């Protein structure tokens, strides 16, 4: 785990973006390394964007939002549907 933290910290300090899940273990450690170097980090969620799983990672979840963002694999379909809806309202 120490090496995951060190590697993500170093890479993020050089401008690399760290992208990983927010699961227990190496995923959350990689995000913490990036956050500690003020780097950009993005979490990929398998559940909905309205909840953090596992709950023990809520601090890292919130800091990831501040230092990059949270992505959800189904988000592109929701955004596309909403954009089409907005397009019809405007025109």
């Amino acid at each position: 785990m120490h090496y995951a933290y060190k590697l993500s910290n170093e890479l993020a300090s050089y401008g690399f973006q760290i992208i990983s899940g927010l699961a227990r273990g190496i995923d959350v450690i990689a995000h913490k390394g990036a956050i500690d170097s003020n780097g950009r980090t993005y979490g990929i969620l398998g559940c909905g964007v309205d909840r953090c799983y596992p709950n023990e990672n809520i601090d890292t979840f919130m800091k990831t939002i501040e230092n990059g963002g949270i992505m959800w694999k189904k988000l592109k379909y929701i955004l596309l549907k909403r954009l089409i809806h907005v397009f019809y309202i405007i025109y």
Side-chain angles (χ1 to χ4, degrees):
M1 299 279 193
H2 170 75
Y3 293 110
Y5 176 88
K6 189 173 179 176
L7 180 63
S8 65
N9 184 278
E10 187 77 19
L11 289 172
S13 71
Y14 284 108
F16 285 87
Q17 298 174 4
I18 306 302
I19 302 171
S20 185
L22 278 165
R24 286 182 188 97
I26 200 166
D27 286 331
V28 78
I29 295 296
H31 290 295
K32 287 179 180 180
I35 290 166
D36 289 348
S37 71
N38 295 316
R40 308 285 291 168
T41 184
Y42 297 89
I44 308 293
L45 298 178
C47 57
V49 293
D50 60 338
R51 60 182 278 210
C52 173
Y53 182 82
N55 293 335
E56 66 199 47
N57 294 341
I58 191 67
D59 291 337
T60 306
F61 179 89
M62 298 307 290
K63 289 178 183 175
T64 299
I65 291 172
E66 296 170 7
N67 290 285
I70 300 293
M71 294 181 246
W72 182 38
K73 61 183 179 180
K74 295 182 182 179
L75 185 62
K76 64 181 177 183
Y77 302 112
I78 292 171
L79 288 177
L80 179 61
K81 185 177 178 181
R82 287 188 180 164
L83 285 174
I84 290 171
H85 181 70
V86 169
F87 177 77
Y88 283 120
I89 291 173
I90 293 172
Y91 294 98

